[in-house]
């Protein structure tokens, strides 16, 4: 009998932020945070620091089963060389119908690439734990969650920009009082989330303290952001399930 070796699934992280000293010391870098959240044994994950202009060759894009675009302190509507290049690569991934999970900045980049509009959040910057409402009766979500779709999920938010106008082909999957487009999908290959499924309390608090020390936020805003996690935690397990089943192209068994 001829044994056929199963091809290892391969994914890429497009990291659009620099590693803070805290993240390097605690986790060895954001790459490890993402892989521990979305990766599984037997997979290959590659890191591209797109913020530093590091991208895969176009001819290699087809070798990957999926891509994750991280958050960033930069505006997705800006025209820095690396942001323009990222948009061009995402356009190619869309043409190839590759799975792309866009998180925060990544969520906004996909919006830009697909013809939507992004800009400063209408209700101001949002930082802290938020409970967002999940769309009912969505067949894709049922498949990802393995049956019943939760009415709402808690997720850590950290953004000053948002989707102002959706691309025509997009379907809203979640919303909140603060942000109309918390999550959307396009086709079967693009899933975009405004919040951070990969964040935990420690990462959020370190970002809040760092931004506060840079005098980019008021003490009251920082205290309020931290207080959202006094008695609650993000629904990390359910976000992991959703993101993993999307990226791996499978549905959970009902």
């Amino acid at each position: 009998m001829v044994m056929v070796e199963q091809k290892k699934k391969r994914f890429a992280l497009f990291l659009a932020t620099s590693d803070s000293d805290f993240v390097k010391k605690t986790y060895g870098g954001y790459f490890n945070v993402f892989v521990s959240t979305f990766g599984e044994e037997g997979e290959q994950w590659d890191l591209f620091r797109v913020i530093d202009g590091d991208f895969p060759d176009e001819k290699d894009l087809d070798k990957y089963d999926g891509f994750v675009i991280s958050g960033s302190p930069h505006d997705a509507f800006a025209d820095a060389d690396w942001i323009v290049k990222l948009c061009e690569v995402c356009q190619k991934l869309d043409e190839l119908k590759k799975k792309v999970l866009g998180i925060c900045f990544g969520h906004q980049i996909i919006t830009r690439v697909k013809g939507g509009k992004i800009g400063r959040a209408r209700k101001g910057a949002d930082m802290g734990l938020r409970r967002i409402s999940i769309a009912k009766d969505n067949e894709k979500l049922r498949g990802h969650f393995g049956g019943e779709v939760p009415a709402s999920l808690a997720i850590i938010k950290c953004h000053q920009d948002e989707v102002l106008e959706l691309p025509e082909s997009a379907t809203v999957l979640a919303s909140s009082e603060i942000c109309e487009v918390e999550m959307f999908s396009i086709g079967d290959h693009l899933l975009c989330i405004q919040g951070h499924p990969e964040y935990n309390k420690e990462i959020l608090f370190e970002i809040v303290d760092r931004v506060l020390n840079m005098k980019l936020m008021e003490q009251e805003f920082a205290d309020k952001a931290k207080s959202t996690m006094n008695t609650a935690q993000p629904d990390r397990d359910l976000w992991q399930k959703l993101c993993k089943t999307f990226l791996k192209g499978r549905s959970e068994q009902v």
Side-chain angles (χ1 to χ4, degrees):
M1 180 170 49
V2 178
M3 299 295 290
V4 179
E5 186 177 351
Q6 193 170 12
K7 186 168 153 282
K8 191 182 278 191
K9 278 191 174 286
R10 191 173 178 185
F11 299 92
L13 171 65
F14 288 170
L15 191 62
T17 188
S18 301
D19 292 324
S20 67
D21 290 339
F22 167 79
V23 165
K24 279 192 276 194
K25 182 180 177 182
T26 310
Y27 304 103
Y30 273 120
F31 177 68
N32 293 334
V33 174
F34 279 92
V35 175
S36 66
T37 305
F38 303 129
E40 293 177 302
E41 197 173 338
E43 296 172 348
Q44 178 178 331
W45 282 75
D46 297 333
L47 169 62
F48 295 93
R49 294 184 183 276
V50 296
I51 191 173
D52 297 327
D54 178 26
F55 290 88
D57 290 336
E58 187 175 313
K59 63 180 173 57
D60 292 331
L61 296 177
D62 204 37
K63 296 177 181 178
Y64 290 92
D65 295 284
F67 299 79
V68 178
I69 307 171
S70 80
S72 177
H74 296 271
D75 298 324
F77 52 80
D79 290 319
D81 289 348
W82 71 271
I83 295 176
V84 173
K85 171 73 170 175
L86 178 60
C87 289
E88 291 169 355
V89 172
C90 287
Q91 183 72 53
K92 184 65 178 175
L93 295 178
D94 182 40
E95 291 168 8
L96 292 169
K97 294 291 186 283
K98 287 292 181 182
K99 297 266 186 177
V100 181
L101 174 63
I103 294 171
C104 198
F105 170 85
H107 158 96
Q108 296 160 14
I109 284 287
I110 296 297
T111 301
R112 174 177 174 174
V113 168
K114 294 298 289 180
K117 185 179 177 184
I118 48 180
R120 288 287 182 257
R122 295 183 182 96
K123 296 188 177 180
D126 190 20
M127 190 172 275
L129 188 70
R130 300 282 177 253
R131 184 157 287 280
I132 66 176
S133 300
I134 308 298
K136 297 176 183 175
D137 302 322
N138 184 282
E139 197 62 42
K140 284 181 200 167
L141 287 179
R142 267 201 294 275
H144 293 325
F145 282 115
E148 189 175 346
V149 177
S152 65
L153 287 173
I155 192 168
I156 292 173
K157 304 281 297 298
C158 186
H159 67 105
Q160 65 176 355
D161 301 332
E162 69 176 2
V163 174
L164 300 174
E165 292 177 18
L166 271 174
E168 284 184 13
S169 51
T171 301
V172 176
L173 299 178
S175 59
S176 70
E177 293 178 2
I178 292 174
C179 181
E180 287 182 15
V181 185
E182 293 280 7
M183 176 167 62
F184 72 88
S185 66
I186 296 178
D188 293 323
H189 64 293
L190 303 176
L191 179 65
C192 301
I193 302 169
Q194 181 59 73
H196 287 271
E198 80 284 8
Y199 276 10
N200 57 31
K201 181 178 179 178
E202 290 72 27
I203 291 174
L204 172 68
F205 279 26
E206 190 272 335
I207 291 172
V208 170
D209 289 341
R210 187 154 33 94
V211 174
L212 182 64
N213 288 337
M214 293 166 69
K215 301 196 179 343
L216 295 175
M217 75 165 68
E218 299 295 328
Q219 183 70 54
E220 184 182 359
F221 188 85
D223 292 343
K224 192 174 179 181
K226 288 184 175 183
S227 71
T228 62
M229 299 200 70
N230 283 347
T231 58
Q233 292 291 328
D235 292 309
R236 277 177 61 89
D237 290 348
L238 286 170
W239 283 112
Q240 274 187 307
K241 179 187 275 193
L242 170 63
C243 295
K244 282 184 177 182
T245 53
F246 162 74
L247 275 175
K248 318 303 161 87
R250 65 183 186 230
S251 291
E252 291 292 296
Q253 294 299 311
V254 180

